[in-house]
Amino acid sequence: MDFNQAQRTALEHRDGPMMVLAGPGSGKTTVITHRIRRLLEAGVDPSGILVITFTKAAAAEMKERFLRLAREEDEKRRKAGKKDDHLPKNGWSLHRPEKSQQSAAEARQRAQGAGNSLEAAGSRVSFGTFHSVFYHILKWAYRFPAGNVISGEEKRQYFKKFLDESGMEVEDEAEFISSIINEISYVKGERLDLKYYYSQNCPEEWFKKLYDGYDEMLEQTGKIDFDDMLVMCHELFTERKDILAAWQKKFKYILVDEFQDINLLQYQVVRMLALPENNFFIVGDDDQSIYRFRGAKPEIMLGFEKDFPGTKRVLLGTNYRSTKEIVETSLKLIGHNKVRFEKKLEPFRGSGRPVDFRVFDNPGHEMDTVAQSIRAYHDAGYAWNEIAVLFRTGANSGLMAERLMGYNIPFKLRDVIPNLYNHWIAKDLFAYMEIAAGSRKRSDFYRIMNRPNRYFRRDAFDTPTVSFDRLKSFYQDRDWMEDRICDLEADLRAMSRLKPVAAVNYIRKVIGYDDYLRSYAEFRRMKPEELFETADKLAESAAEFETFEAWKEHAAKYEEELKKQSLEETGETEDRVTLSTMHSAKGLEYPVVFVVDANEGIVPHHKAGLSADIEEERRLFYVALTRAKDRLHVAAVRERYHRKTDVSRFIGEAGL
């Protein structure tokens, strides 16, 4: 394989720290795999090489790509009649830092049994995530029993039970629990003091109860979570220098992929592990640091040379993925960030078609045109799986999914699309309409009785079916409550004569549901616009139907299709259009990419207030643009939910 000068510099590097700045499509994985090969061919003990990345899938793929390379090299050597005597014949196990007679004998036996080949040596290189590597260290030190790591489902069930038993009520329980789990992870990873922490999801007293209750549960059950692994490993290495020295002796060469995604605690632990030899080889792109909400900071990578004096830096500046137009557009955009390494990237492929930017009247027009364009590409010879549609958030992808269903275009989801019709706001609106249509189910009344607050008590609805006469009788000695019941009856009668979209607007504006959403948003420390947007999406959907029954039928069919999607196994080779968030598309590439909803409030997101937040959003948009190989389409809208909306500032910055 031919390498450019920058790639050769990186993969031939031997000792000491090195930082490889790898632009999009620059062949960073190739550099990592060939560097491992060069280390092994130089006689480095394979068990002394540690390769770390951030997900199990990425670690497995990295290992498989290296072993594929090793098999190819072994085959070349066999055909050339060469021997592999220069390769090491033994090594240490990942689980034991001491070099015992037993482990050495086992290693020799493995080497002899497998043949002293590059592949056999490579099979003893350690590939893993930060969590898996650190857990092995902790397991060796503390002799942890099997099953002591809490699963994601166990976390969710714990918080659900905690909310039920504590009397804490939230409307969006699943979303709230997910947000709290992420927030606790962030607090642990950053080692923040709760006394001075301001929760982003609920009042401080709530968050402290949830945090302390969760920690107490872990202690009582003898379990740890992924964040505890990092904290405990840091404490272990800090307090037990002998243990740290043993693992430092074991891992002589440490390689970290996607280094820009590292958080402070991960960095502190792996930095200790790299001492004193400092054979620390990092690969990443600060311009693709997009996980700030998980604690990732580009500043860590920017400060690496200060932490490791004598670091050699090399830029993989050739983009082998995209056309000249796509590369130049993305560089114009990212050049507006201040906190970054300056880079000059050159396209290898030359010119192609100009980047296409269009502004549509509304989201419906935007998604219809995208769907039609996708079909046109397919008719022109592109496979479905060569096309991707990228969104800022999963919540915005639902309309696209509905459109593709209508055009009979197969698609796959890289993210779980939140079902709009299963949102608690949709359930509230549907309950109102069910009652207006004649339903008297107690469950429907429970949903709407105090949304907005009418001060109804649950015990007033003491039968499976609700009678307004019985309800009035319950409050017969309180005239003001009887008035509220009569007002509700009148509102429901008025709604029964309206089309779905008019009924939704009546609930929101006349009955006062928007006021309820506003007060709930204040409690959840959200902008009310986040909840209004969901209600707007529902109103927009309702406008397409003449009756509530037809709207319900559509919602049921949509739910059925999403369930079908979630049950099907769809790999990357499956011939379907990809729908993905910008975050989930990182590391992937497609011949044709549509980046949609390029509007202020979406990208950059309305939650991005600080300059650091805006730079993060710009990096995210940069990642989206650089997924395209041949054709890049960017779209925005003039109006969303009957309100004017501005095109994203990033469009002008990119020169579109």
Side-chain angles (χ1 to χ4, degrees), residues 281-346:
F281 186 92
I282 68 168
V283 183
D285 183 6
D286 56 300
D287 287 334
Q288 297 186 70
S289 178
I290 59 174
Y291 297 112
R292 193 162 171 262
F293 61 93
R294 297 180 186 168
K297 295 182 177 70
E299 292 84 355
I300 296 175
M301 191 167 189
L302 291 165
F304 184 83
E305 290 165 302
K306 183 179 178 181
D307 293 336
F308 290 89
T311 295
K312 293 182 180 178
R313 187 205 305 181
V314 63
L315 170 65
L316 304 185
T318 301
N319 183 305
Y320 294 95
R321 174 186 299 155
S322 307
T323 62
K324 178 182 178 183
E325 290 79 6
I326 294 170
V327 172
E328 289 180 346
T329 297
S330 59
L331 286 177
K332 284 179 186 175
L333 169 74
I334 202 62
H336 287 267
N337 271 8
K338 306 298 183 190
V339 183
R340 63 185 293 263
F341 288 112
E342 290 292 330
K343 306 178 188 71
K344 185 179 180 181
L345 304 179
E346 297 290 340

Coordinates of all heavy atoms in Angstrom, one line a residue, residues 281-346:
F281 N 0.4 7.4 21.8 CA 0.1 7.7 20.4 C -1.3 8.0 20.3 O -2.2 7.1 20.5 CB 0.5 6.5 19.5 CG 0.4 6.7 18.1 CD1 1.5 7.1 17.3 CD2 -0.7 6.4 17.4 CE1 1.4 7.3 15.9 CE2 -0.8 6.5 16.0 CZ 0.3 7.0 15.3
I282 N -1.7 9.2 20.0 CA -3.1 9.6 20.0 C -3.5 10.0 18.6 O -2.7 10.7 17.9 CB -3.4 10.7 21.0 CG1 -2.8 12.0 20.6 CG2 -3.1 10.3 22.4 CD1 -3.3 13.3 21.4
V283 N -4.7 9.7 18.2 CA -5.2 10.0 16.9 C -6.6 10.6 17.0 O -7.4 10.1 17.7 CB -5.3 8.8 16.0 CG1 -5.8 9.2 14.6 CG2 -4.0 8.0 15.9
G284 N -6.8 11.8 16.4 CA -8.1 12.4 16.5 C -8.1 13.7 15.7 O -7.2 14.1 15.1
D285 N -9.3 14.3 15.8 CA -9.5 15.6 15.1 C -10.3 16.5 16.0 O -11.5 16.2 16.3 CB -10.3 15.4 13.8 CG -10.5 16.6 13.0 OD1 -10.0 17.7 13.4 OD2 -11.2 16.6 12.0
D286 N -9.7 17.5 16.6 CA -10.4 18.5 17.5 C -11.6 19.1 16.8 O -12.5 19.5 17.5 CB -9.4 19.5 18.0 CG -8.7 20.3 16.9 OD1 -8.0 19.7 16.0 OD2 -8.9 21.6 16.8
D287 N -11.6 19.2 15.5 CA -12.7 19.8 14.8 C -13.9 18.8 14.7 O -15.0 19.2 14.3 CB -12.3 20.1 13.3 CG -11.4 21.3 13.2 OD1 -11.5 22.2 14.1 OD2 -10.6 21.4 12.2
Q288 N -13.7 17.6 15.2 CA -14.8 16.6 15.2 C -15.2 16.2 16.7 O -15.8 15.2 16.9 CB -14.5 15.4 14.4 CG -14.3 15.7 12.9 CD -14.2 14.4 12.1 OE1 -15.1 13.6 11.9 NE2 -12.9 14.2 11.6
S289 N -14.8 17.1 17.6 CA -15.2 16.9 19.0 C -16.6 17.3 19.2 O -16.9 18.5 19.3 CB -14.2 17.7 19.9 OG -14.6 17.5 21.3
I290 N -17.6 16.4 19.4 CA -19.0 16.7 19.4 C -19.7 16.1 20.5 O -21.0 16.0 20.5 CB -19.7 16.3 18.0 CG1 -19.5 14.8 17.8 CG2 -19.1 17.0 16.9 CD1 -20.3 14.2 16.6
Y291 N -19.0 15.7 21.6 CA -19.6 15.1 22.7 C -19.4 15.8 24.0 O -19.1 15.3 25.1 CB -19.2 13.6 22.9 CG -19.6 12.7 21.7 CD1 -18.6 12.2 20.8 CD2 -20.9 12.5 21.5 CE1 -18.9 11.5 19.8 CE2 -21.3 11.7 20.4 CZ -20.3 11.2 19.5 OH -20.6 10.4 18.5
R292 N -19.5 17.2 23.9 CA -19.3 18.0 25.1 C -20.2 17.7 26.2 O -19.9 17.8 27.4 CB -19.4 19.5 24.7 CG -18.9 20.5 25.7 CD -18.7 21.8 25.1 NE -18.4 22.9 26.1 CZ -19.3 23.7 26.5 NH1 -20.5 23.6 26.1 NH2 -19.0 24.6 27.4
F293 N -21.5 17.2 25.8 CA -22.5 16.9 26.8 C -22.1 15.7 27.6 O -22.6 15.4 28.7 CB -23.8 16.7 26.2 CG -23.9 15.6 25.2 CD1 -24.3 14.3 25.6 CD2 -23.6 15.8 23.9 CE1 -24.3 13.3 24.6 CE2 -23.7 14.8 22.9 CZ -24.0 13.5 23.3
R294 N -21.1 14.9 27.1 CA -20.6 13.7 27.9 C -19.2 14.1 28.6 O -18.6 13.2 29.2 CB -20.3 12.6 26.9 CG -21.5 12.0 26.2 CD -21.1 10.9 25.3 NE -22.2 10.4 24.5 CZ -22.1 9.5 23.5 NH1 -20.8 9.1 23.2 NH2 -23.1 9.1 22.8
G295 N -18.8 15.3 28.5 CA -17.6 15.7 29.1 C -16.4 15.9 28.2 O -15.3 16.3 28.7
A296 N -16.6 15.5 26.9 CA -15.5 15.6 26.0 C -15.2 17.1 25.7 O -16.1 17.9 25.6 CB -15.8 14.9 24.7
K297 N -13.9 17.4 25.7 CA -13.5 18.8 25.5 C -12.3 18.9 24.5 O -11.3 18.2 24.7 CB -13.1 19.5 26.8 CG -14.2 19.6 27.9 CD -13.6 20.3 29.1 CE -14.7 20.6 30.1 NZ -15.1 19.3 30.7
P298 N -12.4 19.7 23.5 CA -11.3 19.8 22.5 C -10.0 20.3 23.2 O -8.9 20.1 22.8 CB -11.8 20.7 21.4 CG -12.9 21.4 22.0 CD -13.5 20.5 23.0
E299 N -10.3 21.1 24.3 CA -9.1 21.7 25.1 C -8.1 20.6 25.6 O -7.0 20.9 25.7 CB -9.6 22.5 26.2 CG -10.4 23.8 25.9 CD -11.9 23.5 25.6 OE1 -12.3 22.3 25.6 OE2 -12.6 24.5 25.4
I300 N -8.6 19.4 25.8 CA -7.7 18.3 26.3 C -6.7 18.0 25.2 O -5.5 17.9 25.4 CB -8.5 17.1 26.7 CG1 -9.4 17.4 27.9 CG2 -7.6 15.9 27.0 CD1 -10.4 16.2 28.3
M301 N -7.2 17.8 24.0 CA -6.3 17.6 22.9 C -5.4 18.8 22.6 O -4.2 18.6 22.3 CB -7.1 17.2 21.6 CG -6.3 16.6 20.5 SD -7.3 15.8 19.2 CE -6.1 15.0 18.2
L302 N -6.0 19.9 22.7 CA -5.2 21.1 22.4 C -4.1 21.3 23.4 O -3.0 22.0 23.1 CB -6.1 22.4 22.4 CG -7.1 22.5 21.2 CD1 -8.2 23.5 21.5 CD2 -6.4 22.8 19.9
G303 N -4.2 20.8 24.6 CA -3.2 20.9 25.7 C -2.3 19.7 25.8 O -1.4 19.7 26.7
F304 N -2.4 18.7 24.9 CA -1.7 17.5 25.0 C -0.2 17.7 24.9 O 0.6 17.2 25.6 CB -2.1 16.5 23.8 CG -1.4 15.2 23.9 CD1 -1.9 14.2 24.7 CD2 -0.3 14.9 23.1 CE1 -1.3 12.9 24.8 CE2 0.3 13.7 23.2 CZ -0.2 12.7 24.0
E305 N 0.3 18.6 24.0 CA 1.7 18.9 23.8 C 2.3 19.5 25.0 O 3.5 19.3 25.3 CB 1.9 19.7 22.6 CG 1.6 19.0 21.3 CD 1.5 19.9 20.1 OE1 0.6 20.8 20.1 OE2 2.2 19.8 19.1
K306 N 1.5 20.3 25.8 CA 2.0 20.9 27.0 C 2.2 19.8 28.1 O 3.1 19.8 28.9 CB 1.0 22.0 27.5 CG 1.5 22.7 28.7 CD 0.5 23.8 29.1 CE 0.9 24.4 30.4 NZ -0.1 25.5 30.8
D307 N 1.2 18.9 28.1 CA 1.3 17.8 29.1 C 2.4 16.8 28.8 O 2.9 16.1 29.7 CB -0.1 17.0 29.2 CG -1.2 17.9 29.8 OD1 -0.9 18.9 30.5 OD2 -2.4 17.6 29.5
F308 N 2.7 16.6 27.5 CA 3.7 15.7 27.1 C 4.7 16.4 26.3 O 4.7 16.4 25.0 CB 3.1 14.5 26.3 CG 2.3 13.6 27.1 CD1 0.9 13.8 27.3 CD2 2.8 12.5 27.7 CE1 0.2 12.9 28.1 CE2 2.1 11.6 28.5 CZ 0.7 11.8 28.7
P309 N 5.7 17.1 26.9 CA 6.7 17.8 26.2 C 7.5 16.9 25.2 O 7.7 15.7 25.5 CB 7.7 18.3 27.3 CG 6.8 18.4 28.5 CD 5.9 17.2 28.4
G310 N 7.8 17.4 24.1 CA 8.5 16.6 23.1 C 7.6 15.9 22.2 O 8.1 15.0 21.4
T311 N 6.3 16.1 22.3 CA 5.3 15.4 21.4 C 5.6 15.8 19.9 O 5.8 16.9 19.6 CB 3.9 15.8 21.8 OG1 3.6 15.3 23.1 CG2 2.9 15.2 20.8
K312 N 5.6 14.7 19.1 CA 5.7 15.0 17.7 C 4.3 15.1 17.1 O 3.4 14.3 17.5 CB 6.5 13.8 17.0 CG 7.9 13.8 17.4 CD 8.6 12.6 16.6 CE 10.1 12.6 17.0 NZ 10.8 11.4 16.3
R313 N 4.0 16.1 16.3 CA 2.7 16.3 15.8 C 2.8 16.1 14.3 O 3.6 16.7 13.6 CB 2.2 17.7 16.1 CG 0.7 17.9 15.7 CD 0.3 19.3 15.4 NE 0.6 20.2 16.5 CZ 0.3 21.5 16.5 NH1 -0.2 22.1 15.3 NH2 0.6 22.3 17.5
V314 N 1.8 15.4 13.7 CA 1.7 15.2 12.3 C 0.2 15.4 11.9 O -0.7 15.0 12.6 CB 2.2 13.9 11.9 CG1 1.4 12.7 12.4 CG2 2.3 13.7 10.3
L315 N 0.0 16.1 10.7 CA -1.3 16.3 10.2 C -1.5 15.4 9.0 O -0.8 15.4 8.0 CB -1.5 17.8 9.8 CG -2.7 18.1 9.0 CD1 -4.0 17.9 9.8 CD2 -2.7 19.5 8.5
L316 N -2.6 14.6 9.1 CA -3.0 13.8 8.0 C -4.0 14.7 7.2 O -5.2 14.8 7.4 CB -3.8 12.5 8.4 CG -3.0 11.6 9.3 CD1 -3.8 10.3 9.5 CD2 -1.6 11.2 8.7
G317 N -3.4 15.5 6.3 CA -4.1 16.6 5.6 C -4.7 16.3 4.3 O -5.2 17.2 3.6
T318 N -4.7 15.0 3.8 CA -5.3 14.6 2.6 C -6.6 14.0 2.8 O -6.7 12.9 3.5 CB -4.3 13.7 1.8 OG1 -3.1 14.3 1.5 CG2 -5.0 13.4 0.4
N319 N -7.7 14.5 2.2 CA -9.0 14.0 2.3 C -9.2 13.1 1.1 O -9.3 13.5 0.0 CB -10.0 15.1 2.4 CG -11.4 14.6 2.5 OD1 -11.9 13.7 1.8 ND2 -12.2 15.1 3.5
Y320 N -9.3 11.7 1.4 CA -9.5 10.8 0.3 C -11.0 10.5 0.1 O -11.4 9.7 -0.8 CB -8.8 9.4 0.7 CG -7.3 9.6 0.7 CD1 -6.7 9.8 1.9 CD2 -6.5 9.4 -0.4 CE1 -5.3 9.9 2.0 CE2 -5.2 9.5 -0.4 CZ -4.5 9.8 0.9 OH -3.2 9.9 0.9
R321 N -11.9 11.1 0.9 CA -13.3 10.8 0.8 C -14.1 11.7 -0.1 O -14.8 11.1 -1.0 CB -13.9 10.9 2.2 CG -15.4 10.8 2.3 CD -15.9 11.1 3.7 NE -15.4 10.1 4.6 CZ -15.2 10.4 5.9 NH1 -15.6 11.5 6.4 NH2 -14.7 9.5 6.7
S322 N -13.9 13.0 0.0 CA -14.9 13.9 -0.6 C -14.3 14.7 -1.8 O -13.1 14.8 -1.9 CB -15.4 14.9 0.5 OG -15.9 14.3 1.6
T323 N -15.2 15.2 -2.6 CA -14.8 16.1 -3.7 C -14.3 17.4 -3.2 O -14.5 17.8 -2.0 CB -16.0 16.3 -4.6 OG1 -17.0 17.0 -3.9 CG2 -16.6 15.0 -5.2
K324 N -13.6 18.1 -4.1 CA -13.0 19.4 -3.7 C -14.0 20.4 -3.2 O -13.8 21.1 -2.2 CB -12.3 20.0 -5.0 CG -11.7 21.4 -4.8 CD -11.1 21.9 -6.1 CE -10.5 23.3 -5.9 NZ -10.0 23.8 -7.1
E325 N -15.2 20.4 -3.8 CA -16.3 21.3 -3.4 C -16.8 21.1 -1.9 O -17.0 22.0 -1.2 CB -17.5 21.3 -4.3 CG -17.2 21.8 -5.7 CD -16.4 20.9 -6.6 OE1 -16.2 19.7 -6.2 OE2 -16.0 21.3 -7.7
I326 N -16.9 19.8 -1.6 CA -17.3 19.4 -0.2 C -16.3 19.8 0.8 O -16.6 20.3 1.9 CB -17.7 17.9 -0.2 CG1 -18.9 17.7 -1.1 CG2 -18.0 17.5 1.2 CD1 -19.2 16.2 -1.3
V327 N -15.0 19.5 0.5 CA -13.9 19.8 1.4 C -13.8 21.3 1.6 O -13.7 21.8 2.7 CB -12.6 19.2 0.8 CG1 -11.4 19.7 1.7 CG2 -12.6 17.7 0.8
E328 N -13.9 22.1 0.5 CA -13.7 23.5 0.7 C -14.9 24.2 1.4 O -14.7 25.1 2.2 CB -13.6 24.2 -0.7 CG -12.2 23.8 -1.4 CD -12.1 24.5 -2.8 OE1 -13.2 24.9 -3.3 OE2 -11.0 24.5 -3.3
T329 N -16.1 23.7 1.2 CA -17.2 24.2 1.9 C -17.1 23.9 3.4 O -17.4 24.8 4.2 CB -18.5 23.6 1.4 OG1 -18.7 23.9 0.0 CG2 -19.7 24.0 2.2
S330 N -16.7 22.7 3.8 CA -16.6 22.4 5.2 C -15.5 23.1 5.9 O -15.6 23.5 7.0 CB -16.4 20.8 5.3 OG -15.3 20.4 4.7
L331 N -14.4 23.4 5.1 CA -13.3 24.1 5.7 C -13.6 25.6 6.0 O -13.2 26.2 7.0 CB -12.0 24.0 4.8 CG -11.3 22.7 4.8 CD1 -10.2 22.7 3.8 CD2 -10.8 22.3 6.2
K332 N -14.4 26.2 5.1 CA -14.9 27.5 5.3 C -15.7 27.6 6.6 O -15.5 28.6 7.3 CB -15.7 28.0 4.1 CG -15.0 28.4 2.8 CD -15.9 28.8 1.7 CE -15.2 29.0 0.4 NZ -16.1 29.3 -0.7
L333 N -16.5 26.6 6.8 CA -17.3 26.6 8.0 C -16.5 26.5 9.3 O -16.6 27.4 10.1 CB -18.3 25.4 7.9 CG -19.1 25.1 9.2 CD1 -20.1 26.2 9.5 CD2 -19.7 23.7 9.2
I334 N -15.7 25.5 9.3 CA -15.0 25.2 10.6 C -13.9 26.2 10.9 O -13.5 26.4 12.0 CB -14.4 23.8 10.6 CG1 -14.1 23.3 12.0 CG2 -13.1 23.7 9.7 CD1 -15.4 23.1 12.8
G335 N -13.5 27.0 9.9 CA -12.5 28.0 10.1 C -13.0 29.2 11.0 O -12.2 30.0 11.4
H336 N -14.3 29.2 11.2 CA -14.9 30.2 12.1 C -14.7 29.9 13.6 O -15.0 30.8 14.4 CB -16.4 30.5 11.7 CG -16.6 31.2 10.4 ND1 -16.7 32.6 10.4 CD2 -16.7 30.7 9.2 CE1 -16.9 32.9 9.1 NE2 -16.9 31.8 8.4
N337 N -14.3 28.7 13.9 CA -14.1 28.3 15.3 C -12.7 28.9 15.7 O -11.8 28.9 14.9 CB -14.1 26.8 15.5 CG -15.5 26.3 15.8 OD1 -16.5 27.0 15.7 ND2 -15.5 25.0 16.1
K338 N -12.7 29.3 16.9 CA -11.5 29.9 17.5 C -10.6 28.9 18.3 O -9.4 29.0 18.2 CB -11.8 31.1 18.5 CG -12.8 32.1 17.9 CD -12.1 32.9 16.7 CE -13.1 34.0 16.2 NZ -12.6 34.5 14.9
V339 N -11.3 28.0 19.0 CA -10.5 27.0 19.8 C -10.3 25.8 18.9 O -11.1 24.8 18.9 CB -11.3 26.6 21.1 CG1 -10.5 25.7 21.9 CG2 -11.7 27.9 21.8
R340 N -9.2 25.7 18.2 CA -8.8 24.6 17.3 C -7.4 24.8 16.8 O -6.8 25.8 16.9 CB -9.8 24.6 16.1 CG -9.7 25.8 15.2 CD -10.7 25.8 14.1 NE -10.5 24.7 13.1 CZ -9.8 24.8 12.0 NH1 -9.3 26.0 11.6 NH2 -9.7 23.8 11.2
F341 N -6.9 23.6 16.3 CA -5.6 23.6 15.6 C -5.9 24.1 14.2 O -6.9 23.7 13.5 CB -5.0 22.2 15.5 CG -4.5 21.7 16.8 CD1 -5.1 20.6 17.5 CD2 -3.3 22.2 17.3 CE1 -4.5 20.1 18.7 CE2 -2.8 21.8 18.5 CZ -3.4 20.7 19.2
E342 N -5.1 25.0 13.7 CA -5.2 25.4 12.3 C -4.8 24.2 11.4 O -3.7 23.6 11.7 CB -4.3 26.6 12.0 CG -4.9 27.9 12.6 CD -6.2 28.3 12.0 OE1 -6.4 28.1 10.8 OE2 -7.0 28.9 12.7
K343 N -5.5 24.0 10.4 CA -5.2 22.8 9.5 C -5.4 23.2 8.0 O -6.4 24.0 7.7 CB -6.1 21.6 9.8 CG -6.2 21.2 11.2 CD -7.1 20.0 11.4 CE -7.3 19.6 12.8 NZ -8.1 20.7 13.6
K344 N -4.6 22.7 7.2 CA -4.8 22.8 5.8 C -5.0 21.5 5.2 O -4.2 20.6 5.2 CB -3.5 23.4 5.1 CG -3.7 23.7 3.6 CD -2.5 24.3 3.0 CE -2.7 24.6 1.5 NZ -1.5 25.2 0.9
L345 N -6.3 21.2 4.7 CA -6.7 19.9 4.2 C -6.8 20.0 2.7 O -7.4 21.0 2.1 CB -8.0 19.5 4.8 CG -8.0 19.4 6.3 CD1 -9.4 18.9 6.8 CD2 -7.0 18.5 6.9
E346 N -6.3 19.0 2.0 CA -6.4 19.0 0.5 C -7.2 17.8 0.1 O -7.0 16.7 0.6 CB -5.0 18.9 -0.1 CG -4.1 20.1 0.2 CD -4.5 21.4 -0.5 OE1 -5.3 21.2 -1.5 OE2 -4.2 22.5 -0.1

